[in-house]
Amino acid sequence: MPRPERPIEGDDSALAWFAEDLRRLREKAGKPTYRQLSARAHYSAASLSEAAAGRKLPSLAVTLAFVDACDGDRAEWEARWRGLSAELSPSPGLPADIAGSAAPYAGLACFDVDDADRFFGRDTVVADVVKRVQEQRFVGVFGASGVGKSSVLRAGLVRRMRKDDPNRRVLVFTPGAHPIEECAVRLAELVGESVPELRAELALEPENLHLRIRQAMAGLGGDTELLVVVDQFEEVFSLCEDSAEREWFIDALVLAATSATSRTRVVLGVRADFYGHCGRHPSLVAALRDAQVLIGPMSPDELREAITRPAAAADCAVETALVTRLVAEATGHAGVLPLLSHALLQTWRSRSGMTLTLAGYDKTGGIQHAVSRTAEEVYEGLSPARQTAVRHLFLRLTAPGDGAPDTRRRVSRRELGTDEDTDAVVDRLARARLLTLDHEYVEVAHEALIRHWPRLRGWLDDDREGLRLHRQLTDATDTWESLGGDAGALYRGTRLTRALDWATRNDTALTPRERKFLQASRTVEIKTSRRLRQLVALLSVVSLVAVTATVFAVRAQRTATTERNAARAQIVASEAVTLYPSDPELAVQLSLAAHKMAPTTRTRESLLSTVPLAVVTHPSEVLTVAFSPDRRTLATGDDDHTVRLWNVADPRHPAPITTMAGHAAEIYSVVFSPDGRTLASAGFDRTVRLWDVTDTAHPALVATLTGHTEGIQSVSFSPDGRTLASASIDHTVRLWDVADPRHPSGLATLTGSHDSLAKAVFSADGTILAAGGKDRAVWLWDVSDLRNPVQLATITGHTQVIAAVSFSPAGRVLATAGDDQTVRLWDVSDPRHPAALATLTGHADGIYAVAFSPDGHTLVSAGDDRAVKLWDVSDPRHPVGLVTLSSHTDAVSTAVFSPDGRTLATGSWDNTTRLLDTDFQQAIDHACEHVRTPITEEQWDRYFPDVAYERPC
């Protein structure tokens, strides 16, 4: 799978904003991979990726190529590029002192102690906090994430207290994962002692903190006191894993402030959703009982002050229309202040002379742009598991509109459950100001996130009906629990069936509460079936008169049981495929049991998906695979720039032979010569490399072919092995004489395509060459005279990029496939007049690979939907689907048959190559050979409740 992009460096710069908008453009275009973009743009993936990295301004040519590849507005982006280029140069548009002055807004960061001269709008709150601190020695300041607590404490409280008492000493810090260490580091600055020694002393007793501070203040004379501000106090609960250290920190702070001889005042800044955590500590409860300040959203007047006064301090003005817009967008949103500040910072940087204008604000994208960019950066920086948790979380936090806009949905902590990943992403998103939290509820900070984050919009549009079904399930779970688990509130019948079917496809979206509800519903449904059986038994002995009714009831019960088991088998079959990557043995047994219970197409495909001959794991994405002519060796080309050779003489036990390095970029194509002595590899470094693999354990590079001006996407040997064809995104196919692989030479360059070419292959007799690519056409050339190829025909019909081309072994049929999700078969018996035979549909996304079996009766197709489909093409005018395999967890980039047709190899972006038995019945018959540990009764009951335990193997 393509790796997530790194967060853009310097996220408040105009350059970073430009790069982020390039990423948004790519997102809008469907987020093609940079490999796919490079095929469209004719620049390397590295150049395009660098353009959106934000480290430097890309060239105009690269920028426009990126924009064209994403179907953007070329004129608009050229104007933007030229404007940014001028902006990055010394600007004569503003006076030097203004052009170089510090920004009056803090962006996403909080206002710190030294930023008081640009911190406005919170005078009332700051005065309230100051009054509390003057009256009490221990104060807690609570507020939702993004409400401005840190700014109030740092730029407000600390600055005001220092102004009132210039001799006051202040320590401001966050506790982090090791609060004792943080205390020692900050206190050491005050007393001038060694941090390790001070830390060891403090750790002995919580009271030592009070004594040390008292000693330091006494040395300063008078009534000097120390103000300790612990910002983000919630880190004591979220980051500190040592409960003893947590207790020490809390006790030490309380003692330092409340001892009779105290010379310390302590202020805690706490996120509101951690209020309950504070309540678990008696000393903290007592200290905070009458010493709390709650910070809420800014009022409209406060917002106006926060918007206009920083600009005025920088000798700038804010257009009235802009002030009105900002106040309207921010009023009532507790977590919007950092986003507002961020949008103002961008507007200030694109100001017109000395004025911040509404037009300039709109140009930056405003709060919407700020929130969208922040969300994407947070998402891209998470692990795959936590990215999944983010998706499920935001879908919960959004109420889908029924003919109206989608809106925020306030969700209780109880509904989210206690999943570790969910807790972690809630905290991360709150720290990024994307969520607002209090002690009981979670909600999206601003509805701009729902309206303007493309990724979230895509999630919402993917399955709106499923989202509504999930909301109904959540509500039903709440109702059931509120009624004390009343069975009458459980799902039954069609409603249960629909919920179970959705849950099977979206298991990770469920909370433990929802799973418990569904399990209870399923149990009651099963018990109802048992009562039906008991009723049938009763009716059979009550009266012979009711024989007919009894027989009918028995038959009905049997039918119901069969249908129930069949429905359950379908669900388990899907679960088995999902389970396979983590527990293949259990997955095989579940799919086998499901198939025996209900031998349908779906359960058969599930079973075949869980019984590969072997799975080979790679360190990076697998982009291409090829069998040697003797079937004993498999070559793979990877995203890590290497070619690997594998011994597959026994396809059940593939063994690595060697790794071949030399390419400087990802490898898109590998192919063996017909005699098996030479391997050709090609990739995005614009070279074809020829390797002598006579001794596969010691391959040797014998030649490097150069000449292409852009990346090479495929290489193919002619049937006699004397010619090699290479297809490139530079719009050409090159023919090479490789009769002597150590001394290759160029033969001809085939042109005609107006865009990049993805694949070029020879016909069985070597006289015809077919190539297809981005221009949606397939080109046929007569290459009987290799130095003077003749274009014969152009095949059209595909509506999007063509990514795969393959001749049948007899050479009479050509298969093509691409991004339009279709495979098309063409009669090329007369290559000057090719004719359409059939169109194969069924894929749900772009297709990357097609290949015929050696006997020509079977075709395989695979692509971005992770599916591998096999088709019976014995009659190419009436192809029939044979099976769909779904074992890969990411896009399938390549698929080939072994020379004897007995094995199918597939490579994927999930970093695996899978070897599959093409004798499906044999694969099913040998399924139990994959199992060493039998399924337990507990596992069986989890998946097949009310079905007698029967080991499948």
Side-chain angles (χ1 to χ4, degrees):
M1 182 176 180
R3 290 174 286 278
E5 291 184 288
R6 296 177 180 175
I8 292 175
E9 300 172 4
D11 64 353
D12 283 332
S13 69
L15 178 59
W17 167 56
F18 184 83
E20 179 58 29
D21 278 356
L22 282 176
R23 291 188 180 186
R24 292 176 65 191
L25 181 65
R26 174 170 164 252
E27 185 84 36
K28 186 178 179 181
K31 202 170 185 180
T33 65
Y34 280 109
R35 291 196 294 271
Q36 293 170 318
L37 272 187
S38 66
R40 305 176 189 176
H42 317 311
Y43 280 89
S44 71
S47 296
L48 297 171
S49 176
E50 182 66 21
R55 289 184 283 268
K56 63 180 181 179
L57 181 65
S59 69
L60 178 59
V62 170
T63 300
L64 295 181
F66 191 113
V67 171
D68 289 344
C70 295
D71 296 325
D73 187 322
R74 185 183 181 91
E76 175 191 344
W77 278 91
E78 181 172 354
R80 289 186 60 179
W81 183 93
R82 295 189 185 282
L84 179 57
S85 179
E87 182 178 341
L88 295 177
S89 302
S91 174
L94 293 172
D97 58 335
I98 298 299
S101 63
Y105 303 102
L108 291 175
C110 70
F111 288 94
D112 216 327
V113 177
D114 297 329
D115 298 319
D117 57 345
R118 52 185 182 146
F119 176 63
F120 299 97
R122 282 298 197 183
D123 289 347
T124 301
V125 171
V126 170
D128 189 14
V129 175
V130 170
K131 182 174 182 293
R132 287 277 188 165
V133 174
Q134 289 172 339
E135 295 173 349
Q136 295 168 293
R137 290 190 170 275
F138 198 97
V139 176
V141 177
F142 295 85
S145 56
V147 80
K149 298 182 300 299
S150 295
S151 297
V152 166
L153 294 177
R154 294 169 182 264
L157 170 68
V158 172
R159 188 65 172 261
R160 186 77 60 85
M161 295 291 281
R162 278 180 172 171
K163 183 178 180 181
D164 294 345
D165 182 0
N167 295 321
R168 183 181 295 279
R169 297 295 188 267
V170 179
L171 294 183
V172 182
F173 65 97
T174 58
H178 303 288
I180 297 179
E181 181 178 312
E182 288 299 322
C183 270
V185 170
R186 303 300 177 177
L187 195 57
E189 296 175 359
L190 184 67
V191 300
E193 295 190 19
S194 164
V195 172
E197 293 178 3
L198 191 56
R199 186 195 184 287
E201 178 186 334
L202 292 177
L204 292 175
E205 290 290 340
E207 188 180 12
N208 288 349
L209 177 63
H210 158 62
L211 296 175
R212 267 298 191 166
I213 293 174
R214 185 182 174 197
Q215 177 187 7
M217 295 301 102
L220 296 175
D223 296 327
T224 303
E225 291 187 332
L226 176 67
L227 175 64
V228 178
V229 177
V230 185
D231 193 11
Q232 298 178 39
F233 181 74
E234 64 272 7
E235 290 182 353
V236 170
F237 307 109
S238 63
L239 298 183
C240 180
E241 298 179 355
D242 187 337
S243 59
E245 185 170 5
R246 183 184 307 120
E247 292 291 344
W248 177 96
F249 187 59
I250 292 172
D251 291 344
L253 292 176
V254 172
L255 284 170
T258 60
S259 296
T261 55
S262 172
R263 301 285 292 272
T264 308
R265 295 181 186 273
V266 175
V267 182
L268 309 181
V270 192
R271 219 169 66 193
D273 57 308
F274 281 85
Y275 188 84
H277 290 71
C278 296
R280 299 171 188 170
H281 300 270
S283 62
L284 205 52
V285 171
L288 290 172
R289 182 166 288 116
D290 298 312
Q292 302 174 28
V293 177
L294 179 63
I295 301 180
M298 278 184 159
S299 68
D301 288 340
E302 289 174 326
L303 285 169
R304 288 188 187 92
E305 190 174 342
I307 293 166
T308 60
R309 291 191 62 183
D315 295 324
C316 289
V318 184
E319 197 175 71
T320 302
L322 175 56
V323 176
T324 303
R325 168 81 74 81
L326 291 172
V327 170
E329 290 184 350
T331 297
H333 296 287
V336 78
L337 292 183
L339 305 176
L340 173 65
S341 182
H342 178 77
L344 279 166
L345 177 62
Q346 298 301 331
T347 306
W348 181 81
R349 286 177 169 154
S350 61
R351 64 196 180 280
S352 176
M354 307 297 291
T355 304
L356 282 69
T357 65
L358 179 58
Y361 173 76
D362 287 337
K363 180 181 176 183
T364 68
I367 290 176
Q368 293 88 347
H369 171 78
V371 71
S372 173
R373 183 173 76 177
T374 302
E376 189 64 18
E377 287 181 353
V378 171
Y379 179 83
E380 293 285 9
L382 297 173
S383 67
R386 291 189 174 175
Q387 287 180 344
T388 299
V390 168
R391 181 178 188 273
H392 295 322
L393 174 64
F394 274 116
L395 290 178
R396 278 188 183 276
L397 294 173
T398 306
D402 189 4
D406 299 326
T407 57
R408 291 184 296 176
R409 176 175 176 265
R410 200 166 184 234
V411 170
S412 68
R413 286 281 195 164
R414 183 165 166 268
E415 178 180 327
L416 296 181
T418 57
D419 176 74
E420 179 182 348
D421 285 331
T422 300
D423 290 344
V425 300
V426 166
D427 183 68
R428 179 69 185 88
L429 292 166
R431 285 189 283 115
R433 320 294 201 222
L434 298 171
L435 297 184
T436 301
L437 314 179
D438 59 29
H439 69 281
E440 187 177 354
Y441 292 97
V442 180
E443 67 178 334
V444 174
H446 199 287
E447 286 190 351
L449 183 63
I450 297 173
R451 295 193 298 270
H452 298 287
W453 186 22
R455 188 182 296 277
L456 178 54
R457 296 303 314 159
W459 291 337
L460 292 168
D461 292 338
D462 280 346
D463 185 13
R464 286 188 171 271
E465 184 58 34
L467 183 56
R468 292 187 182 95
L469 193 152
H470 193 189
R471 291 289 73 77
Q472 294 167 5
L473 172 61
T474 302
D475 293 342
T477 301
D478 290 340
T479 301
W480 177 63
E481 290 184 343
S482 69
L483 295 175
D486 186 349
L490 294 171
Y491 276 0
R492 288 181 173 81
T494 303
R495 199 175 189 190
L496 175 58
T497 301
R498 291 180 64 226
L500 287 174
D501 183 62
W502 180 88
T504 300
R505 292 180 281 108
N506 299 273
D507 180 67
T508 56
L510 297 174
T511 63
R513 297 170 57 247
E514 292 163 350
R515 288 193 181 92
K516 184 178 179 181
F517 172 79
L518 287 177
Q519 182 62 46
S521 297
R522 185 168 58 181
T523 300
V524 169
E525 187 87 341
I526 291 170
K527 288 180 179 179
T528 302
S529 297
R530 288 175 179 166
R531 294 192 190 102
L532 176 59
R533 289 197 300 273
Q534 293 167 357
L535 176 61
V536 171
L538 177 63
L539 290 174
S540 66
V541 298
V542 168
S543 175
L544 292 176
V545 177
V547 169
T548 302
T550 301
V551 170
F552 177 79
V554 171
R555 287 178 178 173
Q557 188 272 334
R558 288 176 178 170
T559 300
T561 300
T562 300
E563 291 178 351
R564 181 205 65 202
N565 290 348
R568 188 61 199 151
Q570 309 295 329
I571 294 172
V572 173
S574 298
E575 292 175 336
V577 174
T578 304
L579 181 65
Y580 182 82
S582 59
D583 194 343
E585 291 191 32
L586 179 58
V588 170
Q589 294 175 83
L590 291 175
S591 59
L592 185 59
H595 187 53
K596 290 179 178 179
M597 193 175 296
T600 65
T601 298
R602 183 175 178 183
T603 59
R604 178 172 177 265
E605 290 180 341
S606 168
L607 178 54
L608 290 172
S609 295
T610 59
V611 290
L613 295 170
V615 178
V616 178
T617 302
H618 298 249
S620 66
E621 297 98 323
V622 182
L623 305 179
T624 177
V625 299
F627 279 100
S628 62
D630 64 2
R631 191 194 60 80
R632 301 178 64 84
T633 305
L634 185 76
T636 60
D638 294 2
D639 188 59
D640 65 1
H641 311 174
T642 64
V643 176
R644 289 177 167 81
L645 297 183
W646 308 83
N647 183 338
V648 290
D650 178 359
R652 293 181 181 276
H653 302 95
I657 300 175
T658 190
T659 299
M660 299 143 66
H663 280 283
E666 54 266 46
I667 297 169
Y668 279 144
S669 185
V670 292
V671 62
F672 283 93
S673 62
D675 63 8
R677 296 180 179 179
T678 304
L679 179 77
S681 59
F684 235 68
D685 61 1
R686 308 176 186 181
T687 68
V688 178
R689 295 174 185 261
L690 301 180
W691 310 82
D692 182 344
V693 289
T694 305
D695 179 359
T696 54
H698 302 92
L701 178 65
V702 296
T704 300
L705 309 180
T706 60
H708 282 291
T709 59
E710 293 293 345
I712 302 169
Q713 305 217 69
S714 83
V715 284
S716 175
F717 278 102
S718 61
D720 62 8
R722 300 176 64 84
T723 308
L724 186 76
S726 56
S728 167
I729 62 174
D730 66 6
H731 306 190
T732 69
V733 174
R734 288 178 178 261
L735 300 181
W736 311 86
D737 182 347
V738 291
D740 179 357
R742 295 181 181 276
H743 301 94
S745 60
L747 292 170
T749 300
L750 285 63
T751 60
S753 172
H754 301 293
D755 221 316
S756 63
L757 293 169
K759 190 76 172 178
V761 293
F762 287 95
S763 62
D765 62 5
T767 61
I768 306 297
L769 184 81
K774 186 182 176 183
D775 61 3
R776 309 172 188 179
V778 177
W779 303 77
L780 299 181
W781 284 278
D782 182 344
V783 290
S784 301
D785 181 350
L786 292 168
R787 294 192 179 276
N788 297 288
V790 177
Q791 184 180 324
L792 298 175
T794 302
I795 301 176
T796 59
H798 282 282
T799 59
Q800 294 188 44
V801 175
I802 296 173
V805 179
S806 179
F807 275 106
S808 66
R812 297 188 182 92
V813 177
L814 182 72
T816 60
D819 285 359
D820 63 2
Q821 305 175 20
T822 68
V823 177
R824 296 172 186 261
L825 302 181
W826 310 88
D827 182 348
V828 290
S829 301
D830 179 358
R832 293 183 181 277
H833 301 94
L837 292 171
T839 299
L840 288 61
T841 60
H843 279 281
D845 212 326
I847 303 170
Y848 295 156
V850 289
F852 284 93
S853 61
D855 63 8
H857 294 163
T858 305
L859 183 78
V860 62
S861 59
D864 218 10
D865 61 357
R866 311 177 185 182
V868 177
K869 291 181 175 289
L870 286 96
W871 313 81
D872 181 348
V873 291
S874 301
D875 179 356
R877 294 185 182 277
H878 302 95
V880 177
L882 295 173
V883 67
T884 299
L885 307 177
S886 306
S887 51
H888 281 291
T889 59
D890 208 330
V892 185
S893 53
T894 180
V896 294
F897 288 95
S898 62
D900 61 5
R902 297 170 59 183
T903 305
L904 176 68
T906 61
S908 169
W909 293 359
D910 65 7
N911 297 12
T912 67
T913 300
R914 293 175 184 262
L915 301 178
L916 311 168
D917 191 339
T918 57
D919 185 335
F920 302 141
Q921 189 56 51
Q922 178 173 279
I924 292 174
D925 293 343
H926 290 271
C928 287
E929 294 179 6
H930 297 263
V931 177
R932 295 182 181 178
T933 304
I935 186 173
T936 65
E937 290 192 38
E938 181 182 359
Q939 290 171 324
W940 178 274
D941 289 340
R942 188 186 312 152
Y943 290 94
F944 297 107
D946 203 42
V947 177
Y949 172 64
E950 181 180 353
R951 284 169 48 174
C953 296

